[in-house]
Amino acid sequence: MPKKDARPKKDSPFAQVARRLSKNNVAMAGLAIILLLSLAAILAPIIMPYDYTAMDMRNMYAKPSLEHLFGADDLGRDIFSRLLYGSRASLSMGILSTLLSTAAGIAIGSVVGYYGGTVDNVIMRLLDIIQAIPGMLLAIAISAALGSGFLNTILALSIGGVPMTVRLLRGSIMSLRNLEYIEAAEKINCSKLRIMLFHILPNSLAPLIVSVTMGIGNTILAAASLSYIGLGIQPPTPEWGAMLSAGKAVISKYPHLCIFPGLCIMIVVLAFNMLGDGLRDAMDPKLKS
Amino acid sequence: MPHNKSDAFLSVQGLAVEYSSSGEVIHAVNGVSFDLKKGGTLGLVGETGAGKTTIAKAIIGILPRPPANVSAGEIFMNGRDLLKVDNAQMRKVRGKEISMIFQDPMTALNPIMRVGEQIAEAIFRHEQVTKKQAEDKGKEMLEMVGISTERYREFPHQFSGGMKQRVVIAMALACNPSLILADEPTTALDVTIQAQVLDMIRSLKNKYGTSMLMITHDLGVVAEICDDVAVVYAGEIVESGSKEQIFTSPKHPYTVGLFKSLPDINSDMERLNPIDGLPPDPSNLPAGCSFGPRCPNFSPKCQDHIKLKDAGNGHFYRCW
Amino acid sequence: MSQAPSPLLEVRNLKKHFNTPKGLLRAVDDVSLTIEKGKTLGIVGESGCGKSTLGRAIIRLQDSTSGEIIFNGEDITHAGKKRQRWINENMQIIFQDPFSSLNPRQTLEETISEPILISKRFKSKAELLKETERLMDLVGLDRRLRRAYPHELDGGRRQRVGIARALSLKPQFIVCDEPVSALDVSIQAQVLNLLLDLQKAAGLTYMFITHDLSVVRHISNDICVMYLGQLVETSPSKELFKKPLHPYTKALLSAIPSIDIYHQRERIILKGELASPIDPKPGCRFASRCLHAREKCREPQRLVEVLPNHYVSCWRAEAL
């Protein structure tokens, strides 16, 4: 990427995107929610009103009250504190596995898009096979094989996302490769690596950033689903999906055990999608004026 | 611009169009007036961004609103102000009374519809005819623009650029409109194909007596096909008159500069005489004459408002 | 120059073919030409005639199918990777499209200095900056625009950036691929003058590819007319305009819209459109559109010197 000076370039393409994005209220609301949640996740140990493992048998299934903001669960643990701490697992899994799959996708996509030919054919067919398996099933299979745990879950969640990133990047590389400024770069003795890093990737970033943003939301959902069915993060570490799962047995009697984790998942996924949508609009060159 | 209402078929008076985006107002057209005689061809000449296309879009009522806004002016066609016609009425006017030909034929053609059917549909939509009659008329139109009726059932992608533009012209003429707005119709074509298409436009125009507004940046095309010329600069008409007046005795420094900067096919290798500088930013026009900053004869008086000057016999220019 | 002219570039029987699903596309088919040092050779033809492919093959942006390219007395047709670096430093290209030829995410400074940065022809950052500023001065770009991005500039300025980039390695030979076709006339003249000045100052050799005959006349010493992958006529520039010999050249010349409204040339309207360069029949490729075609035109034609330095590939040229 071209180096970015912080101040004087008011009109760099990224500054333009930021300006347009800042005018989009929905996207900014999404961004605000994400920032707030991230802050909460980072500060969780400090701002939690209770320890997330602290059991309190007097308050089993306690309804939301001033004492327990979102109520308490079957062991009398404070749901608000558990949600706060659980956001660490959910957010970090979502973000890390999307970044991992995008990084892998960029590496593979660059090779495939730039070299084409046989390399392209072989790798793309392999990715086709991965893509033919439903993402959730793949994640279940991988985490069942590797065992549960934080890192394994991240790995399981990221592999399914790789083919899409590769496809996205490959497409934009192929359309850029025939542009005259790429020819010009070849003609001034740019190495293939330099062409990739300085001329192709910066111009393929727009769709990638959108897909990463949207991807994080989906991956958080997938992580929650894995925990819901008992894979993924293991108790006693709180995780939204696992909390939802734990509450399902008593949902008719104590709905708040499910409602609050469910709301959290919904809000964070929605926030990422809102931001992603806004980013796509802000980056669409056809909307530039 | 003073005009004689009786022989003007289309009369544009004081037209002004603005585009506003994020608090910035772009003055695309600033008080443009011109008349087009019945059956005549008026060439609207100017460079990219001068506002030519905006004028045409305002006439046919397809300006995107917002961001565009007609802030002043009247457009009379057959005595009726087109700017006061409501949308439903205007939809009937478009295609039937006025049609427009764009530079890129693909903006007018549907890529997944057979070309013949597209022409027939245009006829069917505007005239009281049966499907069969529309199809026959469609075939007739194709033949008229020099395309064999065997190609009636082909798709646009099977046609070359010049052929596509012929189809678009056939479509534009299908309902026998009284006014054609041609926006750089031959700019995307090769010279030999351009010659064919211009030749065809001219003979069809003569045959049907259609009036035409020809928008182009190419003075050669104007010389070929127009009767009258209006030179547009920064959203204003800086000079207008008959073709003979403009080509033999241009008065406005911009018009003179345009002619001078053209590479002449009849003279040899040498430096050209470009106009210095760049067209002004339409969101920040200079005071007075907008050509002032690039003008070789600039003087402080140019920053006052410049009135049109009459050079006689319908030849006007905006320079003191 | 008093000494005998030495060709800087010699191209012999160059062919560039592409395999397509429909057959063998002969984009460049047996083209031979020479360009002397410090001179300009114009290549004229319509879209799809292979002129851009020819230019790209000569500077080795693309591998050729067969033939020889001799630059400075050295056969570079099959130059290896190391030699290619040297070729790139000595043979550059200016592109047509001022939009797609610049990386939208690089500032002017980054674009212009990148070639120097890669060639390591500088000792310090300060020297790199100084050289960049020298190049910007040279092509008439304001130094303040150093940090600007392409989208902030108009077409003419963007084209100047492309020219500065091409000049940055101090090449001997530049292929100009329609460098002014996308520009308005007044800006076009500015850029053409710049190219002429640069040539004079640095003794550059140009190959000027264009579809516009009036532009090519102003900049070229010699002109090659290309049709469907082959040269049909080559001649000193003056001579070609005075006495075009090939029927295609004549039609091309007559098709240019002239601004001389009183002396319009007699127009030759060609029939049909450009044939396909895929698996063409032997014989004259223009025959299907030629008004003078005879049976003998189906035999292969070759360039024959009819007048001194004036070659034409038409057996009837002298009779017509």
Side-chain angles (χ1 to χ4, degrees), chain A residues 15-60:
Chain A
Q16 276 194 315
V17 168
R19 204 174 54 222
R20 275 196 295 268
L21 189 68
S22 66
K23 285 187 190 141
N24 184 333
N25 292 333
V26 177
M28 290 321 280
L31 184 65
I33 295 171
I34 292 166
L35 289 179
L36 205 70
L37 274 170
S38 310
L39 201 68
I42 293 166
L43 299 179
I46 303 167
I47 57 172
M48 281 190 307
Y50 299 89
D51 185 352
Y52 63 88
T53 50
M55 291 181 262
D56 179 0
M57 291 309 168
R58 283 170 302 137
N59 272 321
M60 267 164 52

Coordinates of all heavy atoms in Angstrom, one line a residue, chain A residues 15-60:
Chain A
A15 N -9.7 9.1 2.2 CA -10.3 10.2 2.9 C -11.7 10.5 2.3 O -12.7 10.8 3.0 CB -9.5 11.4 2.7
Q16 N -11.8 10.3 1.0 CA -13.1 10.5 0.3 C -14.2 9.5 0.9 O -15.3 9.9 1.1 CB -13.0 10.3 -1.2 CG -12.5 11.5 -1.9 CD -12.7 11.2 -3.4 OE1 -12.4 10.2 -3.9 NE2 -13.2 12.2 -4.1
V17 N -13.7 8.2 0.9 CA -14.6 7.2 1.4 C -15.0 7.5 2.9 O -16.2 7.5 3.2 CB -13.9 5.8 1.4 CG1 -14.7 4.8 2.2 CG2 -13.7 5.4 -0.1
A18 N -14.1 8.0 3.7 CA -14.4 8.3 5.1 C -15.4 9.4 5.1 O -16.3 9.4 5.9 CB -13.1 8.7 5.8
R19 N -15.2 10.4 4.2 CA -16.1 11.5 4.2 C -17.6 11.1 3.9 O -18.5 11.5 4.5 CB -15.6 12.6 3.2 CG -16.1 14.0 3.6 CD -15.5 15.0 2.7 NE -15.7 14.7 1.3 CZ -14.7 14.8 0.4 NH1 -13.5 15.3 0.7 NH2 -14.9 14.5 -0.9
R20 N -17.6 10.3 2.8 CA -19.0 9.8 2.4 C -19.6 9.0 3.5 O -20.8 9.0 3.8 CB -18.9 9.1 1.1 CG -18.9 10.0 -0.1 CD -19.3 9.2 -1.3 NE -18.2 8.2 -1.6 CZ -17.2 8.5 -2.4 NH1 -17.1 9.6 -3.0 NH2 -16.2 7.6 -2.6
L21 N -18.8 8.1 4.1 CA -19.3 7.2 5.1 C -19.8 8.0 6.3 O -20.8 7.7 6.9 CB -18.1 6.3 5.6 CG -18.6 5.1 6.5 CD1 -19.4 4.2 5.7 CD2 -17.3 4.4 7.1
S22 N -19.1 9.1 6.7 CA -19.5 9.9 7.8 C -20.9 10.5 7.6 O -21.5 10.9 8.6 CB -18.5 10.9 8.2 OG -18.4 11.9 7.1
K23 N -21.3 10.6 6.4 CA -22.6 11.2 6.1 C -23.7 10.2 6.2 O -24.9 10.6 6.1 CB -22.6 11.9 4.8 CG -21.8 13.2 4.8 CD -22.0 13.9 3.4 CE -21.0 15.1 3.4 NZ -20.5 15.2 2.0
N24 N -23.4 8.9 6.3 CA -24.4 7.9 6.3 C -24.7 7.5 7.7 O -24.0 6.9 8.4 CB -23.8 6.6 5.5 CG -24.7 5.5 5.4 OD1 -25.7 5.4 6.2 ND2 -24.5 4.7 4.3
N25 N -25.9 7.9 8.1 CA -26.3 7.8 9.6 C -26.4 6.3 10.0 O -25.9 6.0 11.1 CB -27.6 8.5 9.8 CG -27.5 10.0 9.7 OD1 -26.4 10.5 9.9 ND2 -28.6 10.6 9.3
V26 N -26.9 5.5 9.1 CA -27.1 4.1 9.5 C -25.7 3.4 9.7 O -25.5 2.8 10.7 CB -27.8 3.3 8.3 CG1 -27.9 1.9 8.6 CG2 -29.2 3.9 8.1
A27 N -24.8 3.7 8.8 CA -23.5 3.1 8.9 C -22.8 3.7 10.1 O -22.1 2.9 10.8 CB -22.6 3.5 7.6
M28 N -22.9 5.0 10.4 CA -22.3 5.5 11.6 C -22.9 4.9 12.9 O -22.1 4.7 13.8 CB -22.4 7.0 11.6 CG -21.6 7.7 10.5 SD -20.0 7.0 10.2 CE -19.1 7.7 11.6
A29 N -24.2 4.6 12.9 CA -24.8 4.0 14.0 C -24.2 2.6 14.2 O -23.8 2.2 15.3 CB -26.3 3.9 13.8
G30 N -24.0 1.9 13.1 CA -23.4 0.6 13.2 C -22.0 0.7 13.7 O -21.6 -0.1 14.6
L31 N -21.2 1.6 13.2 CA -19.9 1.8 13.7 C -19.8 2.2 15.2 O -19.0 1.6 16.0 CB -19.2 3.0 12.9 CG -17.7 3.2 13.2 CD1 -16.9 2.0 12.8 CD2 -17.2 4.4 12.5
A32 N -20.8 3.0 15.6 CA -20.8 3.4 17.0 C -21.1 2.2 17.9 O -20.4 2.0 18.9 CB -21.9 4.4 17.2
I33 N -22.0 1.3 17.5 CA -22.3 0.1 18.3 C -21.1 -0.8 18.4 O -20.8 -1.3 19.4 CB -23.5 -0.7 17.6 CG1 -24.8 0.2 17.7 CG2 -23.7 -2.0 18.3 CD1 -25.9 -0.4 16.8
I34 N -20.4 -0.9 17.2 CA -19.2 -1.8 17.2 C -18.2 -1.2 18.1 O -17.6 -2.0 18.9 CB -18.7 -1.9 15.8 CG1 -19.7 -2.7 14.9 CG2 -17.3 -2.6 15.8 CD1 -19.4 -2.6 13.4
L35 N -17.9 0.1 18.1 CA -16.9 0.7 18.9 C -17.3 0.5 20.4 O -16.5 0.2 21.2 CB -16.7 2.2 18.6 CG -16.0 2.4 17.2 CD1 -15.9 3.9 17.0 CD2 -14.7 1.8 17.2
L36 N -18.6 0.8 20.7 CA -19.0 0.6 22.1 C -18.8 -0.8 22.6 O -18.3 -1.0 23.7 CB -20.5 1.0 22.1 CG -21.0 1.5 23.4 CD1 -20.5 2.9 23.7 CD2 -22.6 1.6 23.4
L37 N -19.2 -1.7 21.8 CA -19.1 -3.1 22.2 C -17.6 -3.5 22.4 O -17.3 -4.3 23.3 CB -19.8 -4.1 21.1 CG -21.3 -4.3 21.3 CD1 -21.8 -5.0 20.1 CD2 -21.5 -5.1 22.6
S38 N -16.8 -3.0 21.4 CA -15.4 -3.4 21.5 C -14.8 -2.8 22.8 O -14.0 -3.5 23.5 CB -14.6 -2.8 20.4 OG -15.2 -3.1 19.2
L39 N -15.2 -1.6 23.1 CA -14.7 -0.9 24.4 C -15.2 -1.7 25.6 O -14.4 -2.0 26.5 CB -15.3 0.5 24.4 CG -14.6 1.4 25.3 CD1 -13.2 1.7 24.8 CD2 -15.4 2.7 25.5
A40 N -16.5 -2.1 25.5 CA -17.0 -2.9 26.6 C -16.2 -4.2 26.8 O -15.9 -4.7 27.9 CB -18.5 -3.2 26.4
A41 N -15.9 -4.8 25.6 CA -15.2 -6.1 25.7 C -13.8 -5.9 26.3 O -13.4 -6.7 27.1 CB -15.1 -6.7 24.3
I42 N -13.1 -4.8 25.9 CA -11.8 -4.6 26.4 C -11.8 -4.3 27.9 O -11.0 -4.8 28.7 CB -11.1 -3.4 25.7 CG1 -10.9 -3.8 24.2 CG2 -9.8 -3.0 26.3 CD1 -10.6 -2.6 23.3
L43 N -12.8 -3.5 28.3 CA -12.9 -3.1 29.7 C -13.7 -4.1 30.6 O -13.9 -3.8 31.8 CB -13.5 -1.7 29.8 CG -12.7 -0.6 29.1 CD1 -13.4 0.7 29.2 CD2 -11.3 -0.5 29.7
A44 N -14.1 -5.2 30.0 CA -15.0 -6.1 30.7 C -14.6 -6.4 32.1 O -15.4 -6.3 33.1 CB -15.3 -7.3 29.9
P45 N -13.3 -6.9 32.3 CA -12.9 -7.2 33.7 C -13.1 -6.1 34.7 O -13.3 -6.3 35.9 CB -11.5 -7.6 33.5 CG -11.3 -7.8 32.1 CD -12.2 -7.0 31.4
I46 N -13.0 -4.9 34.2 CA -13.1 -3.7 35.1 C -14.5 -3.3 35.4 O -14.9 -3.0 36.5 CB -12.3 -2.5 34.6 CG1 -10.9 -2.9 34.3 CG2 -12.4 -1.3 35.5 CD1 -10.1 -1.9 33.5
I47 N -15.3 -3.3 34.3 CA -16.7 -2.8 34.5 C -17.7 -3.8 34.8 O -18.9 -3.5 35.2 CB -17.1 -2.0 33.2 CG1 -17.1 -2.9 32.0 CG2 -16.3 -0.7 33.0 CD1 -17.7 -2.2 30.8
M48 N -17.4 -5.1 34.8 CA -18.3 -6.1 35.2 C -18.8 -5.9 36.6 O -18.0 -5.7 37.5 CB -17.7 -7.5 35.2 CG -17.5 -8.1 33.8 SD -17.0 -9.8 33.9 CE -15.6 -9.8 34.9
P49 N -20.1 -5.8 36.9 CA -20.5 -5.7 38.3 C -20.3 -6.9 39.1 O -20.1 -6.8 40.3 CB -22.0 -5.4 38.1 CG -22.4 -5.8 36.8 CD -21.2 -5.8 35.9
Y50 N -20.2 -8.1 38.6 CA -20.0 -9.3 39.3 C -18.9 -10.1 38.6 O -18.7 -9.9 37.4 CB -21.2 -10.2 39.4 CG -22.4 -9.5 40.1 CD1 -23.3 -8.7 39.4 CD2 -22.5 -9.7 41.5 CE1 -24.3 -8.1 40.1 CE2 -23.6 -9.1 42.2 CZ -24.5 -8.3 41.5 OH -25.5 -7.7 42.1
D51 N -18.3 -11.0 39.2 CA -17.4 -12.0 38.6 C -18.3 -12.9 37.7 O -19.4 -13.3 38.2 CB -16.6 -12.8 39.6 CG -15.6 -13.7 38.9 OD1 -15.7 -13.8 37.7 OD2 -14.8 -14.3 39.6
Y52 N -17.9 -13.2 36.5 CA -18.8 -14.0 35.6 C -18.9 -15.4 36.1 O -19.8 -16.1 35.6 CB -18.4 -13.9 34.2 CG -17.0 -14.5 33.9 CD1 -16.9 -15.9 33.6 CD2 -15.8 -13.8 33.9 CE1 -15.7 -16.5 33.3 CE2 -14.6 -14.3 33.6 CZ -14.5 -15.7 33.4 OH -13.3 -16.2 33.1
T53 N -18.1 -15.9 37.0 CA -18.2 -17.2 37.5 C -18.9 -17.3 38.9 O -19.2 -18.4 39.4 CB -16.8 -17.9 37.6 OG1 -16.0 -17.1 38.4 CG2 -16.3 -18.2 36.3
A54 N -19.1 -16.1 39.5 CA -19.6 -16.1 40.8 C -21.0 -16.6 40.9 O -21.9 -16.0 40.3 CB -19.5 -14.7 41.4
M55 N -21.2 -17.8 41.6 CA -22.6 -18.3 41.7 C -23.3 -17.8 42.9 O -22.6 -17.4 43.9 CB -22.5 -19.8 41.8 CG -22.0 -20.4 40.5 SD -22.0 -22.2 40.5 CE -20.3 -22.5 40.9
D56 N -24.6 -17.6 42.8 CA -25.3 -17.1 43.9 C -26.7 -17.8 43.9 O -27.6 -17.4 43.2 CB -25.5 -15.6 43.7 CG -26.3 -14.9 44.8 OD1 -26.8 -15.7 45.7 OD2 -26.6 -13.7 44.7
M57 N -26.7 -18.9 44.8 CA -27.9 -19.7 44.7 C -29.2 -19.0 45.1 O -30.3 -19.4 44.7 CB -27.7 -20.9 45.7 CG -26.6 -21.9 45.2 SD -26.9 -22.3 43.4 CE -25.3 -23.1 43.0
R58 N -29.1 -17.9 45.9 CA -30.3 -17.2 46.2 C -31.0 -16.5 45.0 O -32.1 -16.3 45.0 CB -30.0 -16.1 47.3 CG -29.8 -16.6 48.7 CD -29.2 -15.5 49.5 NE -28.0 -15.0 49.0 CZ -27.7 -13.7 48.9 NH1 -28.5 -12.8 49.3 NH2 -26.5 -13.3 48.3
N59 N -30.1 -16.3 44.0 CA -30.6 -15.5 42.9 C -30.8 -16.4 41.7 O -30.7 -15.9 40.5 CB -29.7 -14.3 42.6 CG -30.1 -13.1 43.4 OD1 -31.3 -12.9 43.6 ND2 -29.1 -12.4 43.9
M60 N -31.0 -17.7 41.8 CA -31.2 -18.5 40.6 C -32.4 -18.0 39.8 O -33.4 -17.7 40.4 CB -31.5 -20.0 41.1 CG -30.2 -20.8 41.1 SD -30.4 -22.3 42.0 CE -31.8 -23.1 41.3

